[in-house]
Amino acid sequence: MRISDMNAVLQAVRQMVLMQQGETENDLYLRTLELAQIQEDEYLCHVISDDMKLILRDIREAHQNDATTADSHSPALDVQKSLQEATNYKGSNAEKQARIFLATFGIDYDAITMEQFVNLIEVLKLSKHLKASINQRGKTNMTHGNGKRKRKRK
């Protein structure tokens, strides 16, 4: 109700100025009186919005430690970081694969023993998805004589 009263007063003053001076297109005072009027819907939305923000902030803070609230710490980022470190590791392909495998499950590579590492490598060799090193023994590209491969003796 007070907003309507204030807008009515501003409109009346604006009308008085218009009657005294006539309407000029860019009159600063007339434009100020026009813009000073408040739209009720916009004002109420603004007031309610501010109140709702405070209420929602209080609710969020009160329930921050609930079981249904998402953790602020992201395990996905930890796994991503571990995978990146394992990929950038300077070592053999088998070691990199072992590091990636362990990082995926959140296991510290430096915490495993040599025996566990050897067992892990053996298990990883069973995977059809990991690159297996191809045995090149006896498959040389060296030729003998006039371009023929040297044959093995039986």
Side-chain angles (χ1 to χ4, degrees):
M1 189 66 181
R2 297 297 165 233
I3 293 173
S4 295
D5 291 344
M6 183 183 70
N7 283 341
V9 169
L10 288 171
Q11 185 63 27
V13 170
R14 187 170 183 273
Q15 291 298 324
M16 285 179 11
V17 171
L18 278 171
M19 287 191 308
Q20 290 175 357
Q21 296 181 357
E23 187 166 349
T24 58
E25 193 173 311
N26 292 324
D27 187 278
L28 177 64
Y29 300 111
L30 286 176
R31 188 73 178 132
T32 302
L33 288 171
E34 181 182 359
L35 294 176
Q37 293 182 11
I38 297 173
Q39 302 298 319
E40 281 184 70
D41 291 343
E42 289 178 21
Y43 175 75
L44 291 175
C45 285
H46 180 70
V47 169
I48 290 171
S49 173
D50 286 348
D51 289 345
M52 291 300 292
K53 285 178 188 175
L54 293 173
I55 291 168
L56 291 173
R57 185 178 299 126
D58 290 344
I59 290 172
R60 186 178 69 212
E61 287 174 5
H63 295 278
Q64 199 164 8
N65 296 327
D66 288 357
T68 57
T69 302
D71 294 334
S72 59
H73 177 74
S74 173
L77 291 176
D78 289 344
V79 170
Q80 181 184 14
K81 181 182 173 192
S82 296
L83 288 174
Q84 189 64 39
E85 288 173 0
T87 305
N88 294 336
Y89 181 73
K90 304 264 191 261
S92 69
N93 282 340
E95 239 182 328
K96 283 184 182 181
Q97 290 171 351
R99 282 183 173 269
I100 290 170
F101 183 80
L102 293 171
T104 302
F105 291 102
I107 301 169
D108 183 18
Y109 175 82
D110 297 324
I112 66 171
T113 64
M114 183 54 84
E115 182 181 325
Q116 291 170 329
F117 176 74
V118 170
N119 290 335
L120 178 62
I121 295 298
E122 291 299 316
V123 169
L124 290 176
K125 285 181 182 178
L126 299 175
S127 172
K128 63 181 179 181
H129 300 290
L130 295 176
K131 292 181 184 176
S133 59
I134 299 171
N135 186 353
Q136 294 292 324
R137 190 177 310 173
K139 296 185 178 155
T140 181
N141 289 332
M142 292 178 19
T143 57
H144 177 62
N146 56 4
K148 294 181 181 178
R149 287 183 80 185
K150 186 176 180 182
R151 292 191 174 181
K152 291 184 187 178
R153 293 186 182 181
K154 291 187 181 184

